[in-house]
């Protein structure tokens, strides 16, 4: 008696660290899009910053308090630097979240690390925003943080 076997589709190998694929409408999908879009915007912002500060003019030798004061007296450069800070922090925090989800298996430590990550990210964005928005070039210090 002959036994016939039907071919079966090969089983997908899954790593112990594999994350589920993002589905449509899930938060994971939106963070995936955010990482791609913020990465492209950050490349433009950082290369622009690097070109202006380090290459054009006298290069990095001209960067001092007067340079930063003059730069931050313009809302355009305040917005440029704040956007770079904001997107850089969120992009980095999102990347760290993925690393935590990939390598921390126990739910308790994972929740604690992600909570600490979110808190540190929020505090650094808040402090950076306060410094950029309250910087007074005439006084040479931030009105809120002193200095």
């Amino acid at each position: 008696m002959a036994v016939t076997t039907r071919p079966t589709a090969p089983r997908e190998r899954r790593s112990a660290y594999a994350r589920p694929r993002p589905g449509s409408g899930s938060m994971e999908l939106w963070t995936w899009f955010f990482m791609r879009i913020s990465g492209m915007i950050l490349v433009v912002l950082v290369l622009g910053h690097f070109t202006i500060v380090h290459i054009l003019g006298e290069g990095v030798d001209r960067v001092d308090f007067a340079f930063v004061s003059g730069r931050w007296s313009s809302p355009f450069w305040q917005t440029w630097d704040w956007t770079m800070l904001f997107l850089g922090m969120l992009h980095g925090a999102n990347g760290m979240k993925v690393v935590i989800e990939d390598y921390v298996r126990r739910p308790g430590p994972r929740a604690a690390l992600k909570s600490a990550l979110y808190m540190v990210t929020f505090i650094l964005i808040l402090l950076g925003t306060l410094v950029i928005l309250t910087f007074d070039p005439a006084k040479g210090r931030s009105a809120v943080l002193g200095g």
Side-chain angles (χ1 to χ4, degrees):
M1 175 171 158
V3 177
T4 59
T5 58
R6 289 190 294 174
T8 59
R11 293 184 65 189
E12 182 178 327
R13 292 183 143 190
R14 293 193 53 107
S15 164
Y17 297 105
R19 287 180 287 121
R21 297 183 127 195
S24 63
S26 71
M27 187 65 177
E28 195 70 24
L29 178 65
W30 290 110
T31 58
W32 187 87
F33 280 122
F34 171 77
M35 290 296 276
R36 272 64 186 170
I37 293 169
S38 68
M40 289 189 296
I41 294 171
L42 280 169
V43 166
V44 172
L45 292 174
V46 170
L47 288 180
H49 171 86
F50 184 78
T51 302
I52 291 167
V53 173
H54 297 280
I55 296 175
L56 297 179
E58 300 167 21
V60 76
D61 292 335
R62 69 182 168 143
V63 176
D64 56 5
F65 180 79
F67 177 81
V68 175
S69 294
R71 194 175 143 110
W72 279 3
S73 63
S74 164
F76 175 78
W77 291 116
Q78 284 183 323
T79 305
W80 181 290
D81 287 346
W82 182 83
T83 305
M84 198 164 51
L85 165 81
F86 186 75
L87 287 179
M89 288 300 301
L90 289 182
H91 190 91
N94 196 29
M96 279 302 299
K97 179 191 75 119
V98 171
V99 170
I100 290 170
E101 288 176 351
D102 282 350
Y103 291 104
V104 180
R105 292 272 139 225
R106 293 181 21 214
R110 180 187 298 173
L113 286 173
K114 286 170 63 175
S115 297
L117 173 68
Y118 296 148
M119 188 168 33
V120 167
T121 301
F122 174 76
I123 289 170
L124 290 178
I125 288 174
L126 182 65
L127 285 175
T129 301
L130 284 174
V131 167
I132 290 173
L133 293 180
T134 63
F135 183 77
D136 187 356
K139 294 180 181 175
R141 64 183 171 84
S142 169
V144 171
L145 301 176

